[in-house]
Structures are given as structure tokens and as C-alpha cells.
Amino acid sequence: MAKVQDSTPKERYVPNGLKFAFGGLAGMAATCVVQPLDLIKTRMQLSGGGRTSFVVAGEIVAREGFVALYAGLSAGLLRQATYTTTRLGVYNWLFDSYKERHGGTAPGFGIKTALGIAAGSIGAFVGTPAEVALIRMTADGRLPAEQRRNYKNVVDALLRIVREEGVLKLWRGATPTVSRAMVVNAAQLSTYSQAREIFAKRVPDGITLHFCASMVSGLITTIASMPVDIIKTRIQNAAKGESQLVVVTSLLRNEGVLSLWKGFLPYYARLGPHTVLTFIFLEQFNAAYLKYY
């Protein structure tokens, strides 16, 4: 009697290496869209005044030109190529590994949060040098001409930091950077997955679903992560020799606790769409791979 072949279709999957690559490419594509918001957020976090994001944006365009809104783009792309590649790749790998070990059962909210923390901390450490370069390049235009660092691009920034300050300065502010990433990813990756499951019952699958889940995720992530983010920004932009403790105490003493949420609007306006675009691009890359390969 002839042996009957199993007609059950095999589950298709994206190889681990491509999960990392697609994560980085998705983040880089999203950064090209939201880079001006990142620059405005950084300028507001470094400013001692109470100016709105619209005023800051207007001043940048008036003094430095429209192209200045994309200052530091090369550093932003390198940050995504290192940080986002690592964090999304590690998260997806850990997520799939959990499902394999538990008979295809997806992890619950608590496990998702733990996976996000692990992925975020690893990605942040890898991406800290690009983060330092990004903060300095986006902040440069607010300084007097004689005090500007005038980095030509991210490669020039990294080489000059090593040459002028030492290789360890590439990881300046690594502790708050990793702490921020742990908070961001614990909130972002877990709440995105959870919000998507909730909205899926009411919203059809597609860009609308991704948008709703991402904006909810972005709001929660913004509230939770901004204090760590502004401390990280101040430390990474600090002058040579200025200790991290001095930077933090000076911030709280001179500007108050509420300054920890300075730049909330551009931060959220950047994080929400960036999350939307990143996941949309990521899912499109995955879908294209499964369709054609």
C-alpha cells in the first residue's frame, strides 16, 4: 500500500539572520521620516527655557536653514543599524524560542515585558556610540560658532571622540542609555503586542491596526521613559570632565522635577510614528520574504 504523504503545509518562517537585518532596515527607514522630530526633542531637552516645540523648530529653520532639521541623520541611521537591528532581532529570536519550547504557545504579557527588557538592554549597549554621536550632532547648532564640534558625519564624530577623548567616551552615558532602553522596550514591545491583540477584535488587520497599537504603545512608553532619556541626553552632551552626578543634580536643582518631561510633544510625536513606521516596514519586509522566497 502506497504511503500517504502528509499534506499539512509547513509553517513558514524568517531566518534569524534576516530578523536582525529586517529590524535594522525598518528602523532606518522610519528614522528618515522622523529625524526632524528627534532633533527638536534633543534641542528642547538641552534648553533651559520653556519654549514650545513649534518655536524651537521655527528658530532652527530661521537660523540654520531647513536642511538643519536633518542634522545628525547619519548618526541616527547608524544608531538604528546597531540598536534597532539588535533589539528587534533579539526580541523576535527570544519570542520564537519561547514558542518553540512551549509547544507553539505565545508568551504572556509578563514574559513579553521580560523579553523586551533583555532585548533592549543588549541593543542599547551595542548602539551607545552612535547614540553619543547623534546627541552631539543634533545639539551642535544651538552652540555659539566657536564652541561647535562641527562633526562632518557620524564616522568623523566617532573617530574624533576616540582621538580627542578616548575610546571609552563612546560609551559615555551607557548606564542611563541601557536603563532607558530597558524601560522603552519593556513598555514598547510588550504594550504594542498587547494593544494589537486588543484592537484586533475591533479593527481590521493592516495599517490602521498597526497605527492604533503603536500610538497607544508610544504614549505609555513616552511617559515611562522620558526622565531617563533627558538625563541620558544631558550626560552625553556634557562638556569634557563634567561628571554624571553633577549633570543630574544641576538639572534637578536649576530646572525642577518637571523638566524631566521637557520635550514631551516632539518625543511622543517622534516615538509614536517611528514605532508605527518601524513595525509597518518590518512586517512588509517579512511578508515580502515569505512571498518571494
Side-chain angles (χ1 to χ4, degrees):
M1 183 176 179
K3 185 177 181 180
V4 179
Q5 290 186 335
D6 184 7
S7 60
T8 304
K10 294 182 179 180
E11 182 179 357
R12 298 181 300 169
Y13 68 95
V14 178
N16 287 329
L18 282 179
K19 289 177 183 176
F20 283 78
F22 288 165
L25 288 172
M28 293 170 74
T31 291
C32 290
V33 179
V34 304
Q35 177 66 16
L37 294 170
D38 204 19
L39 182 138
I40 293 169
K41 181 264 298 183
T42 298
R43 296 285 182 91
M44 291 184 70
Q45 289 182 335
L46 295 173
S47 172
R51 298 172 300 167
T52 67
S53 55
F54 298 104
V55 170
V56 172
E59 290 178 351
I60 293 171
V61 173
R63 289 191 320 177
E64 305 168 47
F66 181 80
V67 177
L69 291 173
Y70 281 88
L73 178 60
S74 61
L77 292 175
L78 179 62
R79 178 179 181 272
Q80 295 301 321
T82 52
Y83 167 63
T84 303
T85 297
T86 304
R87 76 174 181 119
L88 289 182
V90 169
Y91 181 79
N92 287 326
W93 174 68
L94 291 174
F95 191 96
D96 290 344
S97 297
Y98 180 94
K99 289 181 64 176
E100 289 178 7
R101 290 196 303 269
H102 294 80
T105 302
F109 183 76
I111 299 298
K112 291 175 185 173
T113 302
L115 299 183
I117 291 174
S121 59
I122 295 171
F125 186 80
V126 173
T128 295
E131 182 88 25
V132 173
L134 174 63
I135 293 300
R136 293 187 175 192
M137 292 175 73
T138 53
D140 217 28
R142 63 183 287 273
L143 299 172
E146 66 277 6
Q147 296 180 20
R148 295 178 185 176
R149 297 179 174 100
N150 294 317
Y151 297 137
K152 297 176 182 177
N153 49 55
V154 66
V155 175
D156 179 54
L158 296 176
L159 292 176
R160 280 183 52 189
I161 291 172
V162 172
R163 184 169 62 249
E164 297 169 7
E165 305 174 48
V167 67
L168 292 181
K169 291 301 180 182
L170 291 175
W171 277 270
R172 181 178 179 86
T175 299
T177 299
V178 171
S179 300
R180 170 191 173 275
M182 292 172 69
V183 174
V184 166
N185 286 276
Q188 187 184 64
L189 296 177
S190 58
T191 56
Y192 177 83
S193 299
Q194 202 69 22
R196 180 172 176 174
E197 291 178 10
I198 294 173
F199 279 114
K201 301 174 183 177
R202 302 172 178 84
V203 180
D205 192 12
I207 293 178
T208 302
L209 175 61
H210 303 160
F211 178 83
C212 292
S214 296
M215 295 308 287
V216 170
S217 173
L219 178 61
I220 296 173
T221 303
T222 298
I223 295 171
S225 66
M226 274 208 74
V228 186
D229 185 72
I230 194 169
I231 291 172
K232 171 197 71 68
T233 298
R234 293 293 181 97
I235 289 174
Q236 291 177 331
N237 189 59
K240 184 178 181 179
E242 192 173 5
S243 71
Q244 298 186 19
L245 181 60
V246 170
V247 172
V248 176
T249 54
S250 176
L251 168 65
L252 295 176
R253 183 174 61 250
N254 297 331
E255 302 176 43
V257 175
L258 291 181
S259 66
L260 295 175
W261 283 272
K262 183 181 292 183
F264 182 91
L265 180 59
Y267 188 100
Y268 177 55
R270 172 201 174 276
L271 187 61
H274 191 276
T275 303
V276 172
L277 293 170
T278 297
F279 282 111
I280 287 176
F281 284 131
L282 180 60
E283 295 191 19
Q284 292 304 310
F285 290 148
N286 288 334
Y289 174 82
L290 295 175
K291 179 178 180 179
Y292 295 109
Y293 295 97

